[in-house]
Amino acid sequence: MQKLGVVEDTLFVPMLGRIYASDHCPQILYDKKVLELKNKLPSDLIEQKKQTQYTLLASASRSANMDRFIRSFLERRPNGVIVQLGCGLETTYYRCDNGKTRWYAVDLPHVIDYRRELLPESERETYFAGDAFSEDWIRQVRTEFPDAPILVTAGGLLHYFEENEVITLLRTIGQFGNMEIVFDTVNKKGMAMMQKKYMKQVGHADAQMFFYVDSAKELAAKIGGNAKVVSDEPYYRYIPKNGLKLSTKVSMAVSDQFKMVKMIHLKL
């Protein structure tokens, strides 16, 4: 196992959320694969107490939301292809694979190296080491699947980039035809809250965030072309709240009331 660096450390934040949910709140997310990996992780990571139930479940909820969009896409488009940008150590393939889909996981080279140690490629998975904001991965996928409908997921990724970079990426993806993207994002109020509290609680107060979406329709207009909003929903709308701490339920309710965090699904 490679020695953990600062970047690798951030990879474990969503993983810890999935472990917590699987152990304590399986009604939100049960991830058999992540529980198998639990013993391979540094024990100090598993035992760290910085996070609250809310921050742990915020990560797990992202995975649960993405799973819902992926399953829905594969029901509509059984011949579809899934591309995960900024895949990190996500285990979506093991939760959502339908036995025939082709999956691509894109991340920076050292992250992909690290991922391969913990999660070697499955038979229908392709790992792509490179920049999510370059055209290389799209060209490879489109060369291998010229006509297939493609769902791109970008979980916990776009916040860290400037709006013009994100719009350029979305325009580029749209040029390759038959593309959809789903991602989590925040509005301006949610961005302030995330920087003030959430990133500090998960131990990454120094992480800078730039991109937020107050209006998905305005974002689609900025992208132009054929971009249209398929879905723009509050983050916790479909997350079961039974059995959660009151403070967690309140935080989720406030977030949804003001659409501070949300899931956006675009057809490009």
Side-chain angles (χ1 to χ4, degrees):
M1 180 67 70
Q2 297 180 23
K3 187 174 187 306
L4 286 181
V6 175
V7 174
E8 284 79 6
D9 191 30
T10 65
L11 295 175
F12 288 107
V13 172
M15 206 172 195
L16 292 174
R18 297 200 307 280
I19 290 170
Y20 178 85
S22 300
D23 281 340
H24 303 285
C25 310
Q27 74 276 21
I28 292 175
L29 184 84
Y30 183 75
D31 189 333
K32 186 171 173 241
K33 188 67 178 177
V34 87
L35 292 178
E36 289 172 13
L37 295 174
K38 190 174 168 182
N39 296 332
K40 296 184 181 179
L41 303 182
S43 57
D44 57 326
L45 265 174
I46 301 294
E47 290 157 16
Q48 56 93 14
K49 301 285 188 244
K50 279 184 287 195
Q51 293 200 60
T52 63
Q53 183 185 64
Y54 176 70
T55 61
L56 287 161
L57 291 181
S59 293
S61 296
R62 180 196 297 137
S63 294
N65 281 328
M66 285 295 185
D67 288 2
R68 188 165 43 80
F69 281 101
I70 289 169
R71 286 178 183 133
S72 168
F73 172 78
L74 291 177
E75 279 170 25
R76 285 186 290 116
R77 315 301 295 266
N79 62 330
V81 172
I82 306 295
V83 180
Q84 294 175 278
L85 297 186
C87 58
L89 298 174
E90 184 49 89
T91 41
T92 323
Y93 171 88
Y94 299 92
R95 299 190 304 270
C96 297
D97 181 56
N98 62 4
K100 56 188 175 187
T101 300
R102 190 79 214 179
W103 294 70
Y104 291 82
V106 181
D107 216 318
L108 297 171
H110 61 285
V111 176
I112 290 294
D113 289 344
Y114 197 80
R115 178 180 174 87
R116 273 204 179 97
E117 288 187 47
L118 274 182
L119 291 160
E121 276 154 293
S122 301
E123 58 175 336
R124 278 170 294 98
E125 273 188 303
T126 300
Y127 291 173
F128 187 95
D131 181 359
F133 282 71
S134 83
E135 286 186 21
D136 298 345
W137 62 267
I138 320 178
R139 291 192 181 284
Q140 179 178 329
V141 178
R142 267 287 169 245
T143 300
E144 293 172 19
F145 294 92
D147 306 310
I150 295 172
L151 177 67
V152 178
T153 68
L157 176 69
L158 301 183
H159 317 298
Y160 303 105
F161 296 88
E162 301 277 4
E163 182 182 75
N164 64 314
E165 294 177 286
V166 174
I167 288 172
T168 300
L169 171 68
L170 298 177
R171 281 179 184 156
T172 303
I173 292 172
Q175 288 166 5
F176 285 80
N178 213 357
M179 308 285 288
E180 299 177 34
I181 187 166
V182 60
F183 58 92
D184 57 308
T185 188
V186 292
N187 64 12
K188 196 169 187 180
K189 193 175 282 189
M191 171 72 78
M193 185 63 70
M194 255 181 118
Q195 290 187 309
K196 187 175 166 188
K197 289 180 72 178
Y198 175 78
M199 296 308 284
K200 198 176 287 182
Q201 283 176 329
V202 299
H204 299 290
D206 55 343
Q208 280 199 293
M209 303 171 80
F210 304 99
F211 178 67
Y212 63 87
V213 180
D214 279 337
S215 163
K217 279 188 177 170
E218 284 177 20
L219 174 65
K222 286 177 186 174
I223 298 164
N226 296 317
K228 67 174 188 184
V229 181
V230 181
S231 175
D232 174 10
E233 63 185 43
Y235 194 69
Y236 298 105
R237 175 180 284 171
Y238 298 105
I239 301 300
K241 318 293 192 300
N242 51 306
L244 304 186
K245 292 178 181 176
L246 179 61
S247 59
T248 302
K249 290 180 183 177
V250 168
S251 294
M252 287 179 171
V254 169
S255 174
D256 276 5
Q257 185 179 352
F258 296 103
K259 279 191 114 174
M260 292 164 77
V261 192
K262 47 196 176 177
M263 298 297 300
I264 292 179
H265 178 195
L266 302 176
K267 183 98 175 71
L268 297 172

